């Protein structure tokens, strides 16, 4: 995973990365790069904010949520996504977040969802001159958190679109509950190897899908050692049953996002028009 996320398109399009404290003067507002902005009191509650020039209160916002099995990873894993999004969505703002990682006697839930809520509260109350229209892009655990927040906790329906890359979508899936990594996932997320049905449903993205859920695009690998291949179809079925627009993509030879260049390029060729059409 890590910084390979958008590397193929960086190579293909030769897009340059933004530098620290970079500004460009044009029009009414400058483009700004604000790194390590704190949105809470914990040292892990930081985010990078990229604001386009000439932004207004209609400027839409991408929110990037890194993976790492809920107990690892950082926003730096997603840093290569920023130049690509700037290339295709130059009028959008981008927010790349850290969140408090799971640890011993400190499971991911609910604190990581609380951190995402704090991010949105911070943005809504900021002076950045942006809108409250958001799209979320998450990988692995970050995809789970993105779906869970968008489907369950976004009661104002500010999240308009979600990209799920190899994210856990349904913990009640028998292929997941019997998976070798299931207990490790349960400990990281809920702090127990034997979660109750009530606990599972609370953190289960598909459980909270309604007709008002945002458009969703998903990508899964057929050889993923962490996520059963049944997760994608179960997510697709739940979204279809609720009448929510969605696109499901399976790469039969792909692992847990350790995909070859051709597969990655194909993914981007679907992801970019999805946001162009649904965000």
């Amino acid at each position: 995973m890590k910084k390979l996320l958008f590397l193929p398109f960086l190579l293909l399009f030769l897009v340059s990365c933004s530098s620290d404290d970079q500004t460009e003067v044009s029009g009414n507002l400058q483009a700004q790069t604000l790194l390590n902005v704190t949105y809470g009191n914990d040292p892990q509650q930081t985010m990078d904010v990229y604001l386009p020039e000439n932004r207004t209160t209609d400027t839409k916002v991408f929110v990037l949520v890194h993976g790492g099995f809920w107990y690892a990873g950082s926003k730096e894993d997603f840093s290569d996504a920023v130049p690509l999004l700037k290339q295709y969505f130059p009028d959008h703002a981008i927010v790349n977040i850290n969140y408090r990682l799971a640890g011993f006697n400190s499971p991911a839930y609910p604190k990581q969802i609380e951190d995402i809520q704090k991010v949105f509260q911070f943005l809504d109350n900021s002076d950045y001159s942006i809108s409250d229209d958001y799209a979320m892009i998450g990988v692995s655990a970050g995809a789970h958190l993105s779906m869970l927040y968008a489907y369950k906790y976004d009661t104002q329906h500010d999240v308009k679109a979600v990209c799920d890359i190899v994210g856990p979508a349904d913990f009640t899936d028998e292929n997941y509950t019997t998976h070798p990594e299931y207990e490790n996932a349960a400990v990281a997320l809920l702090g127990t190897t034997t979660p109750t049905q009530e606990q599972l449903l609370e953190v289960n993205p598909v459980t909270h899908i309604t007709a008002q859920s945002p458009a969703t695009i998903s990508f899964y690998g057929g050889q993923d050692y962490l996520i059963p291949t049944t997760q994608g179809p179960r997510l697709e079925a739940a979204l279809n049953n609720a009448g929510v627009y969605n696109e499901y993509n399976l790469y039969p030879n792909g692992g847990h996002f350790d995909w070859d260049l051709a597969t990655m390029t194909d993914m981007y060729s679907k992801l970019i028009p999805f946001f162009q059409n649904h965000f």
Side-chain angles (χ1 to χ4, degrees):
M1 198 182 307
K2 300 292 182 181
K3 291 191 177 182
L4 293 177
L5 177 61
F6 282 80
L7 183 57
F9 262 59
L10 291 176
L11 295 174
L12 291 172
F13 291 96
L14 301 177
V15 181
S16 299
C17 292
S18 299
S19 61
D20 193 354
D21 297 325
Q22 181 180 12
T23 62
E24 300 172 2
V25 180
S26 178
N28 295 326
L29 288 174
Q30 301 176 355
Q32 289 185 283
T33 296
L34 308 172
L35 302 182
N36 296 311
V37 175
T38 59
Y39 65 85
N41 296 324
D42 190 280
Q44 294 181 321
Q45 292 172 321
T46 63
M47 59 185 178
D48 297 337
V49 180
Y50 304 86
L51 302 171
E53 64 183 8
N54 298 328
R55 62 193 175 275
T56 70
T57 52
D58 292 325
T59 296
K60 297 178 180 180
V61 185
F62 285 103
V63 177
L64 312 182
V65 188
H66 72 80
F69 215 78
W70 299 282
Y71 65 78
S74 74
K75 58 185 170 62
E76 280 66 40
D77 300 342
F78 242 141
S79 61
D80 286 340
V82 174
L84 176 63
L85 291 173
K86 284 185 175 182
Q87 171 78 10
Y88 285 94
F89 303 95
D91 298 326
H92 291 40
I94 304 164
V95 178
N96 186 13
I97 74 169
N98 275 335
Y99 48 83
R100 289 173 293 170
L101 300 176
F104 183 71
N105 287 334
S106 182
Y109 184 80
K111 68 180 182 180
Q112 291 177 358
I113 286 292
E114 292 170 350
D115 285 357
I116 292 174
Q117 290 176 309
K118 285 188 176 184
V119 166
F120 283 106
Q121 290 167 359
F122 183 99
L123 295 174
D124 288 344
N125 293 320
S126 73
D127 60 357
Y128 292 156
S129 293
I130 55 177
S131 76
D132 58 1
D133 288 345
Y134 301 101
M136 301 185 74
I137 305 176
V139 174
S140 192
H144 163 260
L145 294 170
S146 297
M147 289 187 287
L148 183 62
Y149 176 82
Y151 299 157
K152 180 180 181 181
Y153 290 93
D154 179 29
T155 57
Q156 299 300 312
H157 305 296
D158 292 332
V159 178
K160 308 304 182 185
V162 175
C163 174
D164 151 39
I165 304 173
V166 298
D170 188 355
F171 294 107
T172 68
D173 178 2
E174 183 178 353
N175 291 291
Y176 208 158
T177 58
T178 58
H179 192 278
E181 291 294 334
Y182 174 78
E183 289 189 357
N184 292 332
V187 170
L189 183 58
L190 294 168
T192 177
T193 59
T194 56
T196 66
Q197 186 73 359
E198 182 179 6
Q199 287 177 302
L200 287 180
L201 293 178
E202 188 171 356
V203 299
N204 208 45
V206 300
T207 300
H208 306 288
I209 291 172
T210 69
Q212 288 72 46
S213 295
T216 301
I217 188 169
S218 63
F219 300 93
Y220 288 92
Q223 306 301 317
D224 194 326
Y225 65 96
L226 289 175
I227 305 298
T229 57
T230 48
Q231 289 287 285
R234 291 175 76 94
L235 173 63
E236 179 187 33
L239 290 164
N240 285 342
N241 289 339
V244 177
Y245 180 86
N246 69 97
E247 299 177 18
Y248 160 62
N249 301 275
L250 175 68
Y251 297 113
N253 296 321
H256 193 66
F257 204 52
D258 51 353
W259 301 339
D260 60 25
L261 179 59
T263 303
M264 300 281 276
T265 302
D266 183 78
M267 185 193 77
Y268 306 137
S269 73
K270 295 178 171 63
L271 183 151
I272 292 166
F274 167 81
F275 282 125
Q276 289 172 334
N277 294 327
H278 299 283
F279 181 41

